[in-house]
Amino acid sequence: MTGPTGILAGKRILVAGVTMDSSIGFATARFAQEQGATVLVSNFGRALGITRRIVKRLPAEAPVLELDVTDPDHLAALPDAVREHVDGLDGVVHSIAYGNPETLLGGKFLDGPWDDVAQAVHVSAYSLKSLTMACRPLLDQGSSVVGLTFDASVSWPVYDWMGVAKAALESTSRYLARHLGPEGIRVNLVSAGPLQTLAAKAIPGFEELDAMWETQSPLGWDNRDQTPTARGVCALLSDLFPATTGEIVHVDGGFHAMGA
Ligand code: NAP
């Protein structure tokens, strides 16, 4: 008898941050299943009901766990909630971000209030540490944590405080790589180009970024196709990058490497 095949055959993966089938997390969950993984997904609050309906569209319906990454009780309960379905994890995907679009984004940088900035950094950056630490008892040598960023090495139009939160996420990922490397746990990010997801549509003026990608990506960029990004995430979850950690892999049509 043969088992599942694919680059994630036999791996158990938690994808945190699936709301719609447009979510990068959804495309990641789908491709991971196609590559042989057993997938659990999580989301929080009012959108949980939507997530429970959306996972029926995956090749195999995935269990949905409730996880608000800012809630210490949810984080503490996560290992037991995961163990109801699988006995450990080989991969964790952090596909989560939030910044108040009314106060922080769309050109509001100079007036962004601290409480909202603090929330954005908590949900979008600190949570990579919280989620990883919550999962730590489930992770073993060779496991992989992957998050999603939008290149924070430069400033962008309209992205404003979310850009700062992403810079914090990128740094958090490097420090996690440092501290968890000795346990054989890799931590990497995929830096995706603009994609038409719920989070992106909430950013006033996001189409400005879309337009830049259209003209400057040498490979071209389809902002409705989450699959290349999902494939990048799954490659980092797989055993194909055994000596890579603290890295940011760009899945952006090559945009980041062009000066103009
Ligand atoms: P999305 O579908 O809206 O996913 C974001 C997820 O974060 C949602 O499921 C959202 O849940 C969840 N979330 C927000 N606050 C949370 C909390 N406190 N606890 C747990 N989950 C929470 O949008 P997406 O574009 O796929 O975003 C996924 C990741 O990719 C984000 O890190 C984003 O910044 C990154 N990214 C996106 C793009 C892009 O252009 N779309 C480009 C580069 C990187 P609710 O829906 O319930 O709020």
Side-chain angles (χ1 to χ4, degrees), residues 156-221:
W156 298 103
V158 310
Y159 209 51
D160 293 312
W161 283 102
M162 187 50 73
V164 178
K166 287 301 188 192
L169 175 77
E170 292 179 6
S171 186
T172 302
S173 159
R174 287 187 286 267
Y175 276 95
L176 280 171
R178 169 182 293 270
H179 287 281
L180 296 178
E183 295 173 28
I185 300 169
R186 294 174 288 124
V187 184
N188 294 288
L189 300 177
V190 164
S191 182
L195 291 163
Q196 292 286 344
T197 64
L198 270 189
K201 285 179 188 159
I203 300 175
F206 197 72
E207 53 293 345
E208 268 192 59
L209 297 173
D210 272 346
M212 291 162 65
W213 251 258
E214 248 172 55
T215 53
Q216 276 191 54
S217 306
L219 289 175
W221 182 252

